[in-house]
Amino acid sequence: MKLLFKSIWILVLIFNFSSILWLIIGGTANFNRSMDLVSFITLSVYGTSSIVLCIISLRILIKKRKVIFDMSVYVIGIVLIFSLLFCSYQNFLGVDTRGWLYPYSYSDPLKKTPDGRYEYQLILINTGQYNSYEQLHFKNVKTKEEKYIPIDINMSESDGRTEGSNDWSWTVIKSTSNLNYYELSTKKELGMPSKKFLINISEGTSKRIN
């Protein structure tokens, strides 16, 4: 009984420690951003409580290693085990997996190129993190073929993007003399860094031109 009880207790301690690591990694999106408010509060309340409970549990387990477990130790142990499980649950609950286990994105509404051949929109992925990036989504109106073209807008230079009302977009596209190329400009008035790019549809590339 003593060995089984101690084994369960130790497994719960390991599980709880894992939940703290998960909270730290998840709250910072695998260290790609500062910890968000929800994760910080969870870490402050339940993470700190977990550490205290772990220390108490370890002291009891080490102290009682060569002493017979009496009923009071079992009662305290059960209380600590359930407390650790509750804190572990809260630690796991406070993790946002967006931005590291899978990306999160924002986009403007679909617009048509001036020649009507494509629908396009700008997609901002993992904005505000070290692993953020941007891409253009193009869809051929006739064939329905889709392309995702990387574009280096670098939203870290933005003072804060906004969204317009009704018919709006973060970018403006102009046609060029070559059907494979479009000229794209970002809208500074909506908080985008002021930049201009040459988009090569056939090759799926973008090149800054200002």
Side-chain angles (χ1 to χ4, degrees), residues 22-81:
W22 178 260
L23 178 62
I24 294 171
I25 293 172
T28 59
N30 199 20
F31 305 104
N32 279 300
R33 67 177 179 225
S34 300
M35 185 168 283
D36 57 68
L37 182 60
V38 173
S39 297
F40 178 76
I41 292 174
T42 303
L43 182 62
S44 300
V45 177
Y46 297 106
T48 303
S49 299
S50 294
I51 293 171
V52 172
L53 290 170
C54 284
I55 292 172
I56 294 173
S57 295
L58 288 171
R59 289 193 65 180
I60 293 174
L61 288 169
I62 293 171
K63 183 178 179 181
K64 296 294 182 180
R65 185 173 54 183
K66 297 181 179 180
V67 180
I68 298 175
F69 269 38
D70 55 24
M71 186 57 64
S72 63
V73 175
Y74 283 110
V75 172
I76 293 171
I78 290 171
V79 172
L80 287 171
I81 286 171

Side-chain angles (χ1 to χ4, degrees), residues 5-15 61:
F5 187 77
K6 289 183 71 174
S7 299
I8 294 172
W9 200 343
I10 291 170
L11 286 174
V12 171
L13 281 170
I14 294 171
F15 180 70
L61 288 169

Side-chain angles (χ1 to χ4, degrees), residues 79-94:
V79 172
L80 287 171
I81 286 171
F82 278 99
S83 299
L84 285 165
L85 288 173
F86 176 74
C87 288
S88 299
Y89 171 75
Q90 294 298 329
N91 289 337
F92 281 111
L93 200 65

